[in-house]
Amino acid sequence: MKKFLILSVIILGTWMSVGVGAAETVDRSMCVFDPSGAHGDVFKAAQRYQAQALTWGIRLDLKAYTDEVVANSDFKAGKCNMAFLTSLRVRSYVHESGSIEAIGALPSYDLLRKTIEALSNPKVRELNTDGDYETMAMFPGGAVYLLLRDKNLKDIKDLAGRKIATLTYDQAATTMVDIVGASMVPAEIATFAGIFNNGRADACYSPAIGIKPLELMKGISPNGGIVRFPIGQLTFQIVARHKDFAEGYGNTSRAWAATQFDAMLSLTKKAEQEIPAKYWIEVPKDLQKNYFEKFREVRIRLRDKKVYHPTILKLMKRVRCSADKEAVECSDNLE
């Protein structure tokens, strides 16, 4: 009888623990944009997040999209609780974290890492929330580079009068085209590669991870190149409606995501290393200041238009100045 009671208690305890675990686990869904669909590296990153979220009591159903417009629309319509999108899209939900891709603001991966770590601090949660939305994670997607059909156009001033394939919804790029005196060739994610490769544009822009799948080497070869001077930093971010998650979930999620920086960056570095050395165009030191000046002019103009959030611009400036205290910008308050 005693053994029976002990066994009953063990069985009951096990059943109760399973019941509690099931009660604590909540079903949620995430729309994931990856140009390669469910077989791509971004979707694999989403799967790693999915596994981690389960330890936080969230059972995530992942939905793969090869078209970011559709993924964004479904999230906006409430078909997913979360969305894995580019920062360019996230900015319409969370103005602050979406401004991390500001043109020329973070010229190195080390500066990007420091910025993401700063934004992952629980003390600055407000910089990751905007109304009903919260940015739950940020991952590096790679530096965005200028791709040219003619490698002699290494100075930004050389772009005057040239045609640049430009994403119509990318206000930074359209502003930059206007400032340098170039002509915009309207494009979308699905069309810009074809425009560049077919010679309808003299230049376009892309992170290294997009060059191979979009076959952009066709446009670069044989006389073009890639300017090794980051226009900006592409980031992938997970955005969600914070009411769908427990209090504190965002802080936990962002802290974990920050630890995945190197794993995600390794994909970018691999793509960059696969580009033949002869196609990289180094910008001479005396010409780099032209890029810095134009980029800063764009950031200030877009800050004034409320495209970029001023607090994030100041945060990134502090990060830059901590690395180079002698920089001219560190002695003024323009940004």
Side-chain angles (χ1 to χ4, degrees), residues 98-310:
S99 297
I100 197 174
E101 47 81 30
I103 190 166
L106 297 169
S108 75
Y109 292 132
D110 186 53
L111 296 181
L112 174 62
R113 180 202 302 274
K114 290 178 180 177
T115 302
I116 288 179
E117 288 176 348
L119 287 171
S120 299
N121 189 321
K123 295 180 180 180
V124 295
R125 177 179 178 269
E126 69 276 6
L127 295 182
N128 295 284
T129 58
D130 197 341
D132 297 330
Y133 299 96
E134 181 171 357
T135 299
M136 301 295 189
M138 288 165 274
F139 304 101
V144 178
Y145 298 109
L146 186 67
L147 280 57
L148 304 170
R149 293 181 65 85
D150 180 356
K151 61 185 176 184
N152 293 314
L153 306 177
K154 65 178 64 176
D155 190 345
I156 198 166
K157 293 179 179 179
D158 295 332
L159 295 175
R162 302 288 180 167
K163 296 179 180 178
I164 303 178
T166 311
L167 301 181
T168 53
Y169 59 88
D170 186 351
Q171 290 173 286
T174 56
T175 301
M176 188 70 191
V177 168
D178 179 57
I179 286 177
V180 301
S183 298
M184 172 179 161
V185 181
E188 299 295 334
I189 286 289
T191 62
F192 87 92
I195 291 172
F196 177 68
N197 291 342
N198 294 330
R200 286 182 283 155
D202 302 300
C204 71
Y205 51 96
S206 171
I209 57 173
I211 291 176
K212 186 174 181 179
L214 294 174
E215 301 183 324
L216 290 168
M217 291 305 295
K218 290 182 178 179
I220 295 170
S221 302
N223 302 314
I226 304 168
V227 181
R228 202 197 291 267
F229 197 94
I231 294 175
Q233 295 286 351
L234 171 69
T235 62
F236 287 97
Q237 301 187 9
I238 296 177
V239 64
R241 294 173 182 82
H242 51 71
K243 67 178 179 60
D244 293 339
F245 298 86
E247 185 176 352
Y249 179 89
N251 287 335
T252 300
S253 177
R254 286 186 294 276
W256 176 82
T259 68
Q260 303 300 300
F261 187 93
D262 287 329
M264 286 294 287
L265 187 62
S266 65
L267 302 174
T268 287
K269 289 186 173 180
K270 181 175 182 293
E272 292 180 350
Q273 290 166 357
E274 289 176 347
I275 297 171
K278 66 179 181 179
Y279 289 113
W280 284 109
I281 302 171
E282 303 296 339
V283 180
K285 203 79 172 177
D286 61 319
L287 296 182
Q288 288 183 13
K289 64 179 182 180
N290 294 333
Y291 279 89
F292 282 123
E293 289 171 1
K294 293 299 182 184
F295 289 163
R296 196 177 191 202
E297 186 178 344
V298 172
R299 292 198 301 271
I300 292 173
R301 184 180 295 190
L302 293 182
R303 177 202 63 191
D304 294 343
K305 288 184 177 180
K306 302 188 186 304
V307 174
Y308 291 152
H309 197 281

